[in-house]
Amino acid sequence: MKHFLDIHVTSSADLRAILDQAAAMKAARGNAPRATPDATSPLAGRMVALIFEKPSTRTRVSFDVGVRQMGGETLVLSGGEMQLGHGETIADTARVLSRFVDLIMIRTFEETTLTELAENATVPVINGLTDASHPCQILADVMTYEEHRGPIRGRKVVWSGDGNNVCASFLHAAGRFGFDFTFTGPPVLDPAREAVDFARANGATVAIERDPQRAAAGADLIVTDTWVSMHDAQSARERRHNLLRPYQVNGRLMAAAKPDALFMHCLPAHREEEVTNEVMDGPQSVVFDEAENRLHVQKAIMRWCLGV
């Protein structure tokens, strides 16, 4: 049994095997209608629990469709439908779910919820997102970059804005896949120190550059994310907008990067806030390829977890 909890606790060899599997499965499907089953059914007879304590579009749809394409069944649960960590301990929830399903994906808030679930489950657990990381997204991002530009090793990735959970997973990926990473944003929103230290300890060059134009110089990929969370109060939203406005990804910032640089965003995007329409809809944007690849990567992650 293998859990997929984070990029930095998964070996480079296993991550590469997941990406290779994802690419092979995507190619095998070709242009088949979305509800057409895969040629093989590796999840036939399997039940997958999808737990959402946080709202979701891409994570929910991609996991649900992926399980069905591979011949399995899904049980979708929201935080309001469960007693996770409230009326029942997380440990007991893990033990109970393990009697009914073959695999658990959870999208939650606290990292401790994920780890406690994994420690007590007797089936594999997948991290669909926590406040600390978003590993499924970043594997899709690496897959997307390599589809368009070849190996990501040795490339320069620039993150502009808030050093949040997605940024942390990009730093973990820098350590595992061998690309360089530059963060540009205000000091109060710097990425997690542990993520920076991990990337550097594993050979990645990590830079913090406050000037976004200087940061973007020579970039192969520029990435951003929303400036505010759906849970932020209005006062927090206003403060963050004031802090982050200089780090908007716009035509001027993309012009500072390499001519063939790509732009990514994990979505949903707040257009004309963290990124302009010009960039989102421009020729360097691969945001919808990136979103689609969540499906293929997560199918490969589930197969890796179950060994099928």
Side-chain angles (χ1 to χ4, degrees):
M1 185 181 70
K2 293 179 287 191
H3 300 303
F4 184 75
L5 302 182
D6 250 325
I7 288 172
H8 69 296
V9 295
T10 309
S11 73
S12 298
D14 282 340
L15 294 169
R16 181 53 65 184
I18 289 169
L19 289 181
D20 289 346
Q21 176 83 82
M25 294 183 77
K26 181 177 181 179
R29 282 195 64 81
N31 295 317
R34 306 295 188 259
T36 303
D38 289 347
T40 60
S41 300
L43 264 60
R46 310 272 185 156
M47 179 65 72
V48 180
L50 306 177
I51 303 173
F52 295 94
E53 289 200 300
K54 282 189 171 185
S56 169
T57 298
R58 278 146 295 277
T59 300
R60 176 168 179 164
V61 173
S62 55
F63 268 106
D64 201 346
V65 171
V67 172
R68 296 180 191 209
Q69 287 181 351
M70 294 191 292
E73 299 286 340
T74 59
L75 175 64
V76 181
L77 299 164
S78 70
E81 294 172 318
M82 303 182 66
Q83 301 198 46
L84 188 65
H86 302 291
E88 183 172 53
T89 67
I90 295 167
D92 285 351
T93 299
R95 295 182 184 109
V96 169
L97 282 177
S98 297
R99 301 294 182 101
F100 295 109
V101 305
D102 301 286
L103 179 66
I104 301 168
M105 188 288 302
I106 185 167
R107 181 179 173 94
T108 188
F109 294 90
E110 298 293 331
E111 187 86 359
T112 53
T113 301
L114 171 74
T115 55
E116 190 173 348
L117 193 71
E119 286 166 1
N120 291 278
T122 55
V123 298
V125 173
I126 295 173
N127 176 1
L129 174 139
T130 71
D131 288 344
S133 65
H134 198 358
C136 291
Q137 176 66 55
I138 302 316
L139 281 194
D141 293 356
V142 172
M143 178 180 179
T144 305
Y145 184 86
E146 295 193 335
E147 282 181 338
H148 286 268
R149 295 289 186 266
I152 199 168
R153 178 171 294 278
R155 304 290 190 165
K156 179 182 177 180
V157 174
V158 174
W159 180 280
S160 185
D162 179 7
N164 61 12
N165 53 348
V166 186
C167 180
S169 286
F170 247 115
L171 281 159
H172 294 154
R176 284 291 184 244
F177 291 101
F179 57 84
D180 297 331
F181 189 89
T182 297
F183 171 80
T184 185
V188 294
L189 296 176
D190 275 353
R193 174 50 56 185
E194 295 82 2
V196 172
D197 290 346
F198 173 84
R200 286 174 172 162
N202 284 272
T205 298
V206 178
I208 307 291
E209 172 55 67
R210 301 302 173 197
D211 184 316
Q213 292 296 125
R214 284 203 295 264
D220 296 286
L221 171 62
I222 293 181
V223 193
T224 193
D225 196 0
T226 54
W227 289 346
V228 295
S229 166
M230 66 187 75
H231 308 289
D232 288 338
Q234 184 59 36
S235 58
R237 290 168 182 260
E238 292 169 2
R239 286 195 302 273
R240 278 178 169 261
H241 277 82
N242 290 334
L243 275 171
L244 289 164
R245 196 165 287 111
Y247 300 97
Q248 180 189 69
V249 180
N250 49 36
R252 181 168 176 261
L253 191 71
M254 292 302 298
K258 289 182 178 177
D260 66 344
L262 298 178
F263 168 74
M264 290 188 189
H265 189 306
C266 65
L267 304 181
H270 295 174
R271 288 168 174 262
E272 299 302 322
E273 292 184 12
E274 73 271 8
V275 58
T276 61
N277 288 327
E278 174 190 14
V279 173
M280 271 284 289
D281 300 324
Q284 292 169 283
S285 174
V286 292
V287 296
F288 299 112
D289 292 343
E290 182 186 1
E292 180 195 339
N293 281 337
R294 291 290 303 280
L295 169 68
H296 308 295
V297 159
Q298 285 156 190
K299 288 169 69 175
I301 290 170
M302 288 187 278
R303 293 190 67 172
W304 177 82
C305 285
L306 291 167
V308 295

